[in-house]
Amino acid sequence: MDILKERILKDGKCLPGGILKVDSFVNHQMDPNLLKKEAIEFIRLFSDTKITKILTIEASGIAPSIIVGLLLDLPVVFAKKKTPSTMDNMYRTKIHSFTKQRDYNVVIAKEYLSPDDRVLFIDDFLAYGNAAKGIADICQQAGAELVGMGFIIEKAFQHGREVLENMGIRVESLAIVDSLDNCEIKLR
Ligand code: 5GP
């Protein structure tokens, strides 16, 4: 997606440890107009697939997911990083965060995911694929069909795509970063 690639090159900042900072249009300040274009592209890429529900993880996956859900008129469910005291029947999985260097649990209430669901997972970044693997685990626990995963930015050098494709999961990304070596952003 050219407009996204241009924005990454213009506003993206490279941090040590292979992290791309895109706080000015993805992770802190958001650009609704760009988010809309991204959502339209996700919908085009998955137009051959029947979807009944959009799944994401809080926080940064919520904004793009909401727009996809709005345009497709589908519900959006986000995996929560804290278990609410009011939630008693849930799917839970453990995810390793490479940006924060720690494990955390995410939960989804059982009433919002069922074997009838055909799920599209949307997130901001694909790095090592750990968050995505957690979502695949929750879909499996629920008996829901995971029809694909869409990422705004994929960091190909961290090989999450291979992990997910080896699990039989369809992966689509809107921009692929091939390298952040020497703090230079190289896009495919
Ligand atoms: P993974 O689980 O694929 O290793 O990492 C995906 C999650 O980590 C994303 O949901 C995102 O929140 C965070 N993440 C991974 N790499 C980056 C990065 O380079 N920049 C930012 N802003 N977030 C990242």
Side-chain angles (χ1 to χ4, degrees):
M1 213 185 140
D2 288 344
I3 188 170
L4 173 62
K5 291 204 240 173
E6 284 160 20
R7 189 67 180 268
I8 293 169
L9 292 175
K10 183 166 140 303
D11 292 334
K13 307 250 179 315
C14 178
L15 299 186
I19 294 180
L20 180 64
K21 186 168 172 179
V22 284
D23 275 12
S24 65
F25 63 102
V26 177
N27 294 118
H28 194 5
Q29 172 172 268
M30 286 174 278
D31 178 341
N33 201 19
L34 181 59
L35 280 169
K36 184 175 165 196
K37 293 188 172 95
E38 291 163 356
I40 289 169
E41 182 62 4
F42 280 133
I43 290 167
R44 188 187 69 78
L45 290 166
F46 288 102
S47 58
D48 57 346
T49 317
K50 182 175 157 46
I51 301 162
T52 66
K53 195 160 278 185
I54 312 299
L55 226 61
T56 189
I57 300 189
E58 66 176 343
S60 296
I62 294 178
S65 300
I66 282 285
I67 302 189
V68 174
L70 179 69
L71 296 177
L72 290 178
D73 196 17
L74 290 175
V76 178
V77 178
F78 65 94
K80 287 177 173 260
K81 291 180 176 167
K82 286 209 174 101
T83 308
S85 57
T86 50
M87 196 188 279
D88 52 11
N89 210 1
M90 72 209 91
Y91 304 110
R92 181 193 302 272
T93 197
K94 193 198 278 184
I95 291 174
H96 179 74
S97 165
F98 119 94
T99 43
K100 300 197 174 101
Q101 283 301 328
R102 64 175 177 87
D103 290 345
Y104 61 98
N105 285 306
V106 298
V107 296
I108 291 182
K110 287 194 174 172
E111 64 186 302
Y112 301 126
L113 198 58
S114 79
D116 297 333
D117 281 317
R118 294 177 56 82
V119 170
L120 173 62
F121 173 68
I122 299 282
D123 206 1
D124 57 343
F125 272 91
L126 172 61
Y128 294 95
N130 292 319
K133 271 196 298 179
I135 289 296
D137 177 41
I138 284 186
C139 286
Q140 198 172 25
Q141 291 178 44
E145 184 160 351
L146 183 57
V147 300
M149 296 191 159
F151 301 92
I152 298 176
I153 302 173
E154 171 181 348
K155 294 187 293 179
F157 58 92
Q158 289 169 338
H159 305 292
R161 176 184 286 269
E162 282 99 301
V163 172
L164 300 178
E165 288 183 343
N166 284 337
M167 294 168 68
I169 297 170
R170 175 174 172 191
V171 175
E172 303 281 0
S173 307
L174 305 186
I176 299 182
V177 182
D178 275 325
S179 157
L180 292 175
D181 289 350
N182 305 315
C183 266
E184 191 191 335
I185 303 170
K186 285 207 180 112
L187 297 180
R188 190 165 302 174

